[in-house]
């Protein structure tokens, strides 16, 4: 379990540092706001993904389901954030520095989001398989 926590911490550190750097010369309070809003959105999308994948999976009890949910959502939120937030941050910085027009930025962000939702579609299957694997290990230990 300690390895999972370490991986999650490193993932979030990379996510925050990369996003911060990608936002360039944008004011610090706006960077913090961007990162917080991005993390909240990633958490919500990842939680929805988990909720979609848990159907058909029988958990031994609510506590086990909650534990697995917390771990998977925490890890996948960081990974999902790494896929999207630094790239969108870079685009925001270019718009802020007048290096890119807003219309072009909107198209790029839309493309990133489309690719991200395609990744989420694959993540549904992966997350379902992960839950089933965790439960197999859980039942084998009993």
């Amino acid at each position: 379990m300690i390895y999972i926590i370490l991986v999650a911490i490193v993932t979030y550190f990379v996510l925050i540092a990369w996003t911060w750097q990608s936002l360039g010369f944008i004011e610090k309070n706006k960077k913090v706001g961007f990162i917080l809003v991005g993390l909240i959105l990633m958490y919500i999308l990842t939680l929805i993904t988990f909720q979609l994948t848990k159907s058909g999976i029988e958990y031994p009890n609510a506590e086990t389901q909650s534990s697995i949910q917390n771990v998977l959502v925490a890890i996948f939120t960081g990974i999902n954030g790494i896929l999207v937030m630094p790239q969108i941050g870079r685009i925001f910085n270019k718009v802020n520095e007048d290096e890119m027009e807003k219309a072009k930025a909107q198209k790029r962000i839309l493309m990133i989001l489309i690719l991200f939702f395609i990744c989420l579609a694959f993540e549904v299957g992966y997350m379902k398989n992960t839950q089933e694997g965790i439960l197999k290990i859980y039942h084998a230990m009993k």
Side-chain angles (χ1 to χ4, degrees):
M1 186 66 157
I2 189 75
Y3 295 116
I4 294 171
I5 293 169
L6 288 174
V7 167
I9 290 170
V10 169
T11 301
Y12 282 98
F13 179 76
V14 168
L15 166 61
I16 291 168
W18 189 6
T19 303
W20 187 274
Q21 188 271 338
S22 295
L23 288 166
F25 297 107
I26 293 176
E27 300 165 15
K28 289 181 182 179
N29 61 344
K30 289 183 180 179
K31 286 182 178 185
V32 170
F34 179 90
I35 290 170
L36 288 176
V37 168
L39 285 172
I40 290 167
L41 290 173
M42 289 299 112
Y43 174 81
I44 290 168
L45 289 171
T46 306
L47 185 60
I48 290 169
T49 303
F50 179 86
Q51 295 301 322
L52 291 172
T53 63
K54 74 175 187 173
S55 65
I57 297 177
E58 293 185 33
Y59 286 92
N61 55 50
E63 183 180 330
T64 302
Q65 178 183 333
S66 178
S67 296
I68 291 173
Q69 174 181 322
N70 291 340
V71 169
L72 290 180
V73 170
I75 290 174
F76 280 94
T77 296
I79 293 168
N80 290 340
I82 287 174
L83 294 174
V84 175
M85 290 172 54
Q87 290 72 24
I88 293 177
R90 189 171 300 114
I91 293 169
F92 280 176
N93 185 49
K94 286 183 178 184
V95 170
N96 188 56
E97 297 292 320
D98 293 325
E99 295 177 14
M100 183 183 294
E101 295 177 10
K102 287 185 180 182
K104 187 175 182 179
Q106 289 172 341
K107 288 179 185 177
R108 285 195 179 176
I109 289 172
L110 180 62
M111 189 63 124
I112 289 169
L113 292 176
I114 289 169
L115 291 172
F116 174 66
F117 281 105
I118 291 170
C119 289
L120 279 181
F122 286 105
E123 189 174 296
V124 166
Y126 184 75
M127 196 177 286
K128 188 168 189 91
N129 290 340
T130 302
Q131 290 174 71
E132 291 169 347
I134 291 170
L135 287 173
K136 282 181 185 176
I137 294 169
Y138 175 83
H139 290 302
M141 293 176 72
K142 281 200 151 199

